[in-house]
Amino acid sequence: MLISSVENPKIKEYIKLQQKKYRDKSGKFIVEGMHLVLEAYKCGILEEVILEQDEVIPLDAKIVYVTEEVIKKISTLDHPVPILALCKKKEEQEELGSRVLLLDNIQDPGNLGTIIRSAVAFDIDTIVLSEKTVDLYNPKVVRSTQGMLFHTNIVRRNLKEVINELKQKEIPVYGTKVEYGEDARVVRDRKSYALIVGNEGSGVEEELSALCDQNLYIEMNSNVESLNVGVATSILLYELRGEFHE
């Protein structure tokens, strides 16, 4: 069966998922493009493939065929692709693990996507998003993670409570203020740690920064005032990981 009308109830539900309130209410979201569809399928969260007519995909999944015009309405891309999928949100795991990344009010979807990819690359067990951090299932975030959001535990929690929980487990919490900071290269090869990074403009909130055991900084050319938060986080995660491998 081919759906050709954007007034179709199923299509209306797909389109609503462009908005955060409907993603939150339904627990579902849309991914776009073959790579993300395959990653979602491998992780068991894919519910329906939305395929433009005459396209083929070798997956054992429910397929909804639609016209190009319908694809354009569902898609959030300037140049829509012929394959999308309806997915259910991942379940959050309560256990944080021993290597934790805390994100305080990150607002740019591209930055969050970059950070998630680096967190997976450098063996972070859990990413904790503050209550004000951009929505994990924002279409731009999903695209910029290149599917890596499906491969790590990501939760949304109160960061102060999480830091206190980590301290009870004797996991050191590193901040990212330059003042009185330690060169990140000095604290390499940590088997357990938490790192907190802050908002693009204002950094980590003072109340949270005061709870950190130590601040880290990245040694760099004095002509450079600061780095993009995605780049800085990637460097810090690399240094903290060092030569350690499980």
Side-chain angles (χ1 to χ4, degrees), residues 23-112:
R23 296 193 295 269
D24 289 344
K25 183 178 179 180
S26 66
K28 298 179 182 180
F29 65 107
I30 298 288
V31 298
E32 305 185 54
M34 180 66 81
H35 178 70
L36 285 172
V37 170
L38 291 175
E39 289 295 321
Y41 177 78
K42 286 189 289 185
C43 292
I45 63 170
L46 187 149
E47 294 197 342
E48 297 174 350
V49 176
I50 306 162
L51 210 57
E52 190 176 317
Q53 63 189 108
D54 301 325
E55 292 288 332
V56 177
I57 184 170
L59 292 181
D60 180 19
K62 179 180 178 181
I63 297 178
V64 178
Y65 289 99
V66 300
T67 62
E68 182 181 359
E69 289 306 310
V70 171
I71 286 278
K72 288 179 180 178
K73 289 293 184 179
I74 302 170
S75 177
T76 58
L77 296 170
D78 292 333
H79 302 287
V81 291
I83 176 170
L84 303 85
L86 175 69
C87 302
K88 60 184 177 183
K89 291 184 178 182
K90 286 180 56 189
E91 292 185 9
E92 296 183 356
Q93 304 299 316
E94 290 188 14
E95 176 57 45
L96 298 178
S98 58
R99 294 182 295 279
V100 184
L101 176 63
L102 297 89
L103 306 182
D104 180 25
N105 199 16
I106 300 296
Q107 293 299 294
D108 183 84
N111 284 338
L112 180 54

Side-chain angles (χ1 to χ4, degrees), residues 106-148:
I106 300 296
Q107 293 299 294
D108 183 84
N111 284 338
L112 180 54
T114 296
I115 289 168
I116 290 171
R117 291 175 71 182
S118 294
V120 175
F122 301 123
D123 303 316
I124 288 295
D125 296 321
T126 297
I127 301 170
V128 184
L129 311 180
S130 71
E131 290 143 334
K132 294 181 181 179
T133 290
V134 62
D135 180 29
L136 174 63
Y137 296 97
N138 175 304
K140 292 182 179 178
V141 174
V142 174
R143 287 198 299 273
S144 62
T145 68
Q146 287 292 299
M148 290 302 100

Side-chain angles (χ1 to χ4, degrees), residues 170-187:
E170 298 184 343
I171 295 177
V173 180
Y174 297 110
T176 47
K177 289 182 69 174
V178 174
E179 294 87 349
Y180 310 109
E182 186 83 27
D183 188 330
R185 292 172 294 183
V186 175
V187 290

